[in-house]
Amino acid sequence: MGREMKRLTLFALAITLIATGFAAKTPYQAVLQHSRIRGRTHGPNVCAMQKIQGTDKKYFTNCKQWYHRKICGKPTVVSYECCPGYEKVIGEKGCPAALPLVNIYKTLGVVGATTTKMYSERAKLQEEIEGPGSFTFFAPSNEAWAALSTEILDALVSNVNIELLNALHYHMINKRLTSDDLKHGASFPSMYQDFDVHIHHYSNGIVTVNCARLVKTDQHATNGIVHVVDRVITAITNNVNSLIDTDDDLDTLRTAVAAAGLTNLLENEGSYTIFAPTNEAFEKIPPETLTRILGDPVALKDLLNYHILKNLHCSESIVAGTPLETLQGTVLEVGCDGEEMTINGKAIVTQRDKLGTNGVIHYVNELLIPDSAKTLLELVEGSVVTTASKLFKDAGLTDHLIGSEAVTLLAPLNDAFKDKSLAMTPDLKKLLRNHILKEKFSSKSLYHGQELETLGGLKLRVFVFRNSLCIENACIAAHDKNGRYANMFIVDQIVAPPMGTVMDVLKADDRFSTLVGAIQRAGLTELLNKKGTYTFFAPTNAAFSAMPPADLNKLMNPKELANLLRYHIGEEFLVSGAVTSHTRMKPLTGDKLELGTRNSTVYVNRVPVVETDLMATNGVVHAVDVIIKPLHLLATHLDLQHFSCAAVYGRVRELSDFIKNILICVPKMNEGLTGLERHEGGSWVSN
């Protein structure tokens, strides 16, 4: 009965969240409603808030933040407070009473903006905000005033009748605007010389005015409405290009913008985010690289566009890592780590939220160089293929990696070189030349059966599988790296060009001497020499030696021998990189072969493949040390020698992990509903 009630409660919560999500008018209202739902067990009009530990920053909570209990990568504490517009009543649960409706001046005291209230009185604004009218007041919190520099604050309070009054009037709009009216990208004339204030209402529920976050919204008054903001805002009069022009810290950027022809873009209307590299950021780049990019209009434009986001993002809008599109066409991962704003995981933002009429500037102390502005060598050196990078340079191929040659590099992952000699020999040099294709290719343009010519003169084949795209045995393991002139494909293996037919491959390897004789006796030599696309799971000498004498005797019959060998030959071509957890292949004779991978090992009918991808012109050879039998025979006879202990252990472990996850997940699903909570002195704290 208890379990059923929990399920019904969980179901009801899900329906409520969906229903209120559809009913919500704005992203802010959506998170507010979610916070109400999380707080409703504490009484009416109670909202759950998440506070970042060690700070005073609080947020209404969304579903993701609620379960992760993190904002900007830092843990949060959940507290329960009265929702906007409500207050507690002694002796009653929750926040049943609406706040008293008074004028804006008194409302400032009610919402805790007492410093703004004090300055309003000193600037002779009190009479105006007590009197008739319909105003919106973006009131700085006490902490916002405290964060102002002494110099700025002294300038304001030393001339209260002009400077302070003007500053406060800039926080006011001569009409009532609720959070629903604060649309993303909207601007409203302030009561200070009609200078606009700029609103951004983000999809995560964050609302900002001139990049100041609204921390308490919709506090209604008899003559308007109050929204408390987390900083004092200033009038915006210049576009972002003017801001760059007048900052000595951005001299190099200013020169680069002019050279790339982007001045008009930054002067015209828009809503951009610019990660502006300081002079220091440019100085960190090797001189030869910087000279090359500054002298190449195409690379320079790509470089600068990579620093410009298509949409305006104030720092307060970022509460978790988010991929955001740049004018260059690719994305930057913009996130935060506590108080630090991050780009691609690095805390390189030194100054935030310098707002212009057409965008916002965040200063960065590192230059962000997109792949499209890099040489092939820079692509290789800046990626995970460090072993390949060293080998290409040791092989004397640097000229092909730094020039303007239109080529494509096949760069194997570091793991591909494990247990292989890295001594530079003529054969290794030749092999590495065959990892450079003569044209600049995109993986999206490759097709099955295509042939790609290398610098070494070979033609490599393209194989398209359901989940893999491979060039010979090497499957592409990551997205293309598209450089200024050349591209790079990161591949999972060293490319192994074909060394003759399947029969030639077997004859050249002493491990298959018994198999070669068997093929000849079974009359299959011609088959394995002719054109085709075979996959041969080739038994080694050890496989034949391990066969019971009775089974070996059966192979004296050429027909029996041919059937056994044909069961080891698949009708289609399949390299190891294309094998998934449940791959099936039809052999030339008999039931389908069942393939899978575990711990980087390929299995066929539970038999581990000891060496994969011996490439041939008419197929591929995979070596096995055990004769493969149909699965139904394994199940019938319990032929345990063909079972891998690792495979059995893996199955048991998978089942164990599955059960463990169920035991862990079920309580966590109910945690939000049934977790113990305590009431402490008028505020609520989650355990």
Side-chain angles (χ1 to χ4, degrees), residues 6 53 106 115 130 201 240 259 295 359 381 456 474 495 622 644 651:
K6 283 184 181 179
Q53 290 185 14
K106 289 181 179 177
T115 307
E130 281 182 331
H201 193 142
V240 290
E381 290 179 336
V495 176
H622 305 295
S644 161
R651 291 292 185 190

Side-chain angles (χ1 to χ4, degrees), residues 201-510:
H201 193 142
Y202 298 96
S203 59
N204 58 8
I206 301 290
V207 184
T208 64
V209 52
N210 286 21
C211 287
R213 180 169 69 95
L214 275 62
V215 293
K216 289 182 182 178
T217 58
D218 297 329
Q219 308 291 335
H220 290 271
T222 54
N223 57 346
I225 194 167
V226 174
H227 305 290
V228 180
V229 296
D230 68 352
R231 67 180 77 167
V232 178
I233 62 175
T234 54
I236 308 301
T237 57
N238 294 317
N239 61 47
V240 290
N241 192 67
S242 297
L243 296 177
I244 292 171
D245 269 349
T246 55
D247 194 327
D248 292 342
D249 244 359
L250 303 178
D251 283 344
T252 309
L253 176 61
R254 180 169 60 252
T255 303
V257 165
L262 293 178
T263 302
N264 286 342
L265 174 77
L266 300 183
E267 286 178 337
N268 295 337
E269 286 188 12
S271 188
Y272 303 114
T273 300
I274 301 170
F275 294 107
T278 60
N279 299 336
E280 177 195 356
F282 282 98
E283 289 165 5
K284 290 179 180 179
I285 301 301
E288 61 276 11
T289 300
L290 188 58
T291 301
R292 176 183 64 78
I293 293 175
L294 293 177
D296 180 348
V298 175
L300 179 59
K301 191 169 184 178
D302 271 1
L303 172 84
L304 294 177
N305 280 337
Y306 189 55
H307 288 75
I308 305 174
L309 302 181
K310 285 187 172 181
N311 298 299
L312 191 151
H313 288 273
C314 299
S315 62
E316 286 293 338
S317 71
I318 305 297
V319 294
T322 308
L324 300 174
E325 191 174 357
T326 67
L327 292 186
Q328 183 258 348
T330 55
V331 299
L332 290 173
E333 180 82 13
V334 182
C336 50
D337 182 11
E339 293 293 322
E340 299 285 346
M341 192 175 183
T342 62
I343 303 173
N344 293 341
K346 299 175 73 177
I348 60 173
V349 178
T350 57
Q351 185 180 335
R352 300 179 291 184
D353 298 329
K354 193 165 186 178
L355 193 63
T357 55
N358 59 346
V360 66
I361 297 175
H362 307 297
Y363 289 56
V364 293
N365 62 9
E366 283 189 20
L367 199 62
L368 307 168
I369 304 179
D371 289 346
S372 59
K374 293 179 180 178
T375 65
L376 198 47
L377 181 61
E378 288 164 352
L379 285 180
V380 177
E381 290 179 336
S383 69
V384 296
V385 289
T386 52
T387 304
S389 172
K390 180 180 184 305
L391 289 174
F392 283 122
K393 287 186 281 189
D394 290 349
L397 297 172
T398 304
D399 286 347
H400 296 290
L401 306 183
I402 62 173
S404 57
E405 217 174 338
V407 296
T408 303
L409 181 71
L410 307 179
L413 290 165
N414 292 345
D415 282 352
F417 295 96
K418 276 184 179 176
D419 304 322
K420 290 182 171 59
S421 171
L422 301 182
M424 191 52 61
T425 63
D427 284 345
L428 182 54
K429 284 185 180 181
K430 182 178 177 182
L431 180 65
L432 292 171
R433 284 182 65 82
N434 286 324
H435 281 71
I436 303 177
L437 308 177
K438 281 188 173 180
E439 295 179 47
K440 183 179 180 179
F441 291 103
S442 161
S443 63
K444 295 183 186 299
S445 67
L446 300 182
Y447 57 88
H448 193 75
Q450 186 177 6
E451 291 189 336
L452 312 173
E453 190 173 355
T454 71
L455 290 184
L458 289 181
K459 289 191 175 179
L460 305 178
R461 301 163 296 175
V462 175
F463 299 103
V464 178
F465 301 98
R466 183 175 297 278
N467 297 307
S468 302
L469 176 62
C470 307
I471 298 170
E472 294 298 341
N473 60 306
C475 298
I476 295 175
H479 293 298
D480 300 6
K481 293 280 190 180
N482 301 313
R484 173 66 179 93
Y485 299 105
N487 289 350
M488 178 173 74
F489 299 159
I490 295 177
V491 293
D492 63 348
Q493 295 194 55
I494 299 169
V495 176
M499 307 300 292
T501 66
V502 169
M503 200 64 198
D504 293 332
V505 170
L506 296 174
K507 284 181 176 178
D509 194 324
D510 291 340

Side-chain angles (χ1 to χ4, degrees), residues 87-159:
E87 65 179 352
K88 299 172 189 174
V89 174
I90 296 173
E92 293 192 36
K93 188 177 182 182
C95 304
L99 284 171
L101 202 61
V102 293
N103 60 52
I104 285 180
Y105 179 74
K106 289 181 179 177
T107 300
L108 292 174
V110 171
V111 299
T114 53
T115 307
T116 299
K117 184 180 180 184
M118 176 190 70
Y119 285 143
S120 297
E121 182 182 353
R122 292 177 64 178
K124 304 295 190 285
L125 184 65
Q126 178 179 346
E127 184 178 346
E128 184 176 355
I129 58 178
E130 281 182 331
S134 183
F135 310 113
T136 298
F137 200 150
F138 296 105
S141 65
N142 295 347
E143 293 78 12
W145 289 106
L148 279 181
S149 69
T150 305
E151 182 183 358
I152 293 174
L153 193 58
D154 286 348
L156 290 174
V157 298
S158 64
N159 191 351

Side-chain angles (χ1 to χ4, degrees), residues 451 459 461 463 472 497-505 528-534 573 614-620:
E451 291 189 336
K459 289 191 175 179
R461 301 163 296 175
F463 299 103
E472 294 298 341
M499 307 300 292
T501 66
V502 169
M503 200 64 198
D504 293 332
V505 170
L528 298 179
N529 272 323
K530 73 178 185 180
K531 190 175 181 180
T533 52
Y534 305 114
F573 180 90
L614 303 170
M615 304 301 290
T617 55
N618 60 343
V620 60

